[in-house]
Amino acid sequence: SKEFQSDVQAMKAAGMAVLFAAGNTGPDASTSNAPANYPESFAVGMVGTFTSPTLINSYSARGPSACDGTVYPEVVAPGFRVRTCDLTAGGDFLNSYSLVAGTSFSTPHVSGVMALLLSAFPETPVRALEMALQKSATDLGTLGEDNTYGYGLVDSLSAFNYLSGQQGLNVTDSISPETDSDVAFDSVIPGESDTASVRIRNSSSVPLTLGATDVSNVLEPFNLISDNCSSRILPAGETCSIVLQFAPTVPGSFSGSLVILSNVVGEERVTVTMSGTGNTPPVAPQPLGPASGATVGTSVTFSWLPASDPDGDAVAQYLVYSPYADFSFPTTHQVETVHAVVLGAGGLLLATLLAGLTHRRNLLLGLTLMVLILEIVACGGGGGGGDDDSAGNGSTELPIDAQSVMISGLVSGEIYYWKLIARDSHGATTQSAVRNIFVQ
């Protein structure tokens, strides 16, 4: 709708800054709203979730602008669980503050920053203020401006430095939260790899000089894949990136760091830490009984073959059931934990042996030891077994390593869906297939 476009144009012509909430119509693309998507408007999106203060909120509207196809929103700002004053209904409600969320609450952050900039630089045209906010914003999401975060997270100090001609840089990474100077890789299965990038943005209006990146603490299993930032002059508003890889060969937790060198006063050395865990997810428990589709009473004994972990980690197990197929309103019972195994199914010890056996004689000895280890693991039993439903069909015989728990109080006449979840000591989670039962 262009109903208010002439009004916005008139306000801009009068030298007024006009900011609008981008709208709470996300997360799909092309969900911009009028009048925020007018070419003359300055739209503000919203970041903040329960897991990250800099992650785009699912409600925040996405671009491109339906009016002219440009990037939408222009910038983003905090808009999740913002503390604000509230009505007390004449004193009936004692708490006069509440926590709110929405792009309507991220927009005042940006309008406040713009007002402060205007008070510091009173002769600055509105378009220059808007450009300062865009060019100095902290880049989030994909590299450069995009239709999720716009030009990035508004940064008041960087915007001030931009207008005053002072040098400044923003350092972010591709793993949320992007602004914590910590590249925290997810768990990676030994033998596989993951990559992430560190971004350096010149948030000022003048060039800055970058020194050679100090990568002396980028040690295996971390690797430097590419670096287009070292020893270069970065023009105003430009971004360069350093790509890192995490490639563990054995289980364990690892850390490292790199140092970004520049001629920016106060930020001559910016340290970015790295962390990652080599970890194989657990093998999910195998349901035994009741069989899927079985008719049961209001007290049910659930049984399963326990989870296992290739790395030998302890594994917590959970029985989850719900009257809804999507497991909304679930009931979760933590059941018996699978304790850590010294050999880790042979994986950790074998990897350690192979890493150290480079001499031919040692290699022959190692192969002999591996055969013995595999014999021990193979003879230890412990699970197996396909997806045999016999234990869930009335059989009183369960495998010797089976586990079970009785659940009472199920509602007669309901269909329940159930599954088992395994979570290892590093937080990796897997789950079994879903079964259903009818309570008679």
Side-chain angles (χ1 to χ4, degrees):
S1 170
K2 296 186 177 181
E3 181 179 356
F4 300 105
Q5 187 169 10
S6 60
D7 301 297
V8 175
Q9 290 171 342
M11 287 188 286
K12 292 296 288 287
M16 299 172 63
V18 186
L19 294 85
F20 288 103
N24 302 329
T25 50
D28 294 334
S30 301
T31 49
S32 69
N33 296 274
N37 56 14
Y38 295 164
E40 300 81 10
S41 300
F42 196 84
V44 181
M46 143 192 180
V47 293
T49 68
F50 282 111
T51 59
S52 171
T54 58
L55 186 65
I56 194 70
N57 191 281
S58 60
Y59 287 115
S60 188
R62 311 298 205 271
S65 166
C67 285
D68 58 3
T70 55
V71 169
Y72 183 94
E74 267 74 26
V75 295
V76 293
F80 182 70
R81 293 178 64 81
V82 176
R83 182 174 169 83
T84 184
C85 55
D86 202 354
L87 298 174
T88 62
D92 289 341
F93 301 105
L94 298 180
N95 187 1
S96 59
Y97 293 89
S98 60
L99 296 175
V100 295
T103 56
S104 294
F105 304 102
S106 59
T107 307
H109 286 86
V110 182
S111 60
V113 171
M114 190 174 284
L116 290 172
L117 293 175
L118 190 59
S119 67
F121 306 98
E123 302 301 320
T124 306
V126 171
R127 181 59 194 129
L129 294 173
E130 294 174 343
M131 183 176 295
L133 292 176
Q134 292 171 324
K135 295 294 186 180
S136 65
T138 300
D139 190 20
L140 301 177
T142 57
L143 186 63
E145 61 267 26
D146 57 67
N147 286 304
T148 300
Y149 295 93
Y151 285 81
L153 178 65
V154 67
D155 185 325
S156 56
L157 179 58
S158 291
F160 177 86
N161 290 339
Y162 184 92
L163 289 173
S164 62
Q166 298 182 51
Q167 290 181 317
L169 60 80
N170 286 331
V171 178
T172 59
D173 61 80
S174 58
I175 300 176
S176 183
E178 294 96 331
T179 57
D180 61 355
S181 295
D182 180 26
V183 182
F185 288 94
D186 288 332
S187 293
V188 174
I189 297 173
E192 299 185 4
S193 64
D194 192 14
T195 58
S197 61
V198 175
R199 297 123 174 222
I200 304 171
R201 183 177 187 179
N202 181 353
S203 59
S204 64
S205 57
V206 295
L208 65 84
T209 302
L210 296 173
T213 306
D214 182 353
V215 294
S216 57
N217 284 323
V218 181
L219 305 174
E220 291 186 354
F222 300 103
N223 301 295
L224 179 68
I225 300 299
S226 64
D227 176 5
N228 68 356
C229 297
S230 283
S231 303
R232 62 173 290 187
I233 296 175
L234 196 62
E238 293 295 312
T239 301
C240 63
S241 62
I242 300 169
V243 180
L244 300 166
Q245 181 188 59
F246 176 54
T249 57
V250 295
S253 297
F254 306 91
S255 62
S257 65
L258 58 84
V259 180
I260 297 163
L261 305 176
S262 75
N263 67 337
V264 178
V265 177
E267 296 181 288
E268 292 88 353
R269 295 177 60 87
V270 177
T271 300
V272 177
T273 59
M274 301 174 294
S275 59
T277 301
N279 180 52
T280 308
V283 177
Q286 298 181 42
L288 293 176
S292 196
T295 298
V296 298
T298 56
S299 294
V300 180
T301 297
F302 295 91
S303 61
W304 62 90
L305 291 174
S308 60
D309 190 89
D311 302 330
D313 299 326
V315 181
Q317 301 181 117
Y318 304 87
L319 171 69
V320 184
Y321 60 91
S322 171
Y324 301 97
D326 63 355
F327 284 89
S328 53
F329 304 101
T331 300
T332 302
H333 282 274
Q334 183 167 0
V335 293
E336 187 175 346
T337 296
V338 178
H339 298 291
V341 179
V342 174
L343 289 179
L348 178 58
L349 184 54
L350 289 178
T352 304
L353 283 171
L354 287 174
L357 298 176
T358 55
H359 192 278
R360 178 169 179 166
R361 185 190 309 176
N362 290 343
L363 182 59
L364 292 174
L365 176 60
L367 291 173
T368 305
L369 287 173
M370 283 191 287
V371 171
L372 292 174
I373 292 169
L374 291 173
E375 286 291 331
I376 293 171
V377 174
C379 295
D387 197 20
D388 185 3
D389 283 345
S390 61
N393 287 316
S395 170
T396 58
E397 294 295 328
L398 291 173
I400 191 170
D401 54 350
Q403 298 173 336
S404 63
V405 66
M406 176 175 282
I407 301 296
S408 300
L410 300 182
V411 178
S412 180
E414 287 275 12
I415 294 176
Y416 283 86
Y417 300 86
W418 68 281
K419 62 183 177 181
L420 292 145
I421 293 177
R423 180 176 293 114
D424 70 14
S425 55
H426 296 291
T429 300
T430 54
Q431 64 181 27
S432 72
V434 176
R435 293 188 174 186
N436 65 81
I437 53 176
F438 174 72
V439 181
Q440 189 169 337

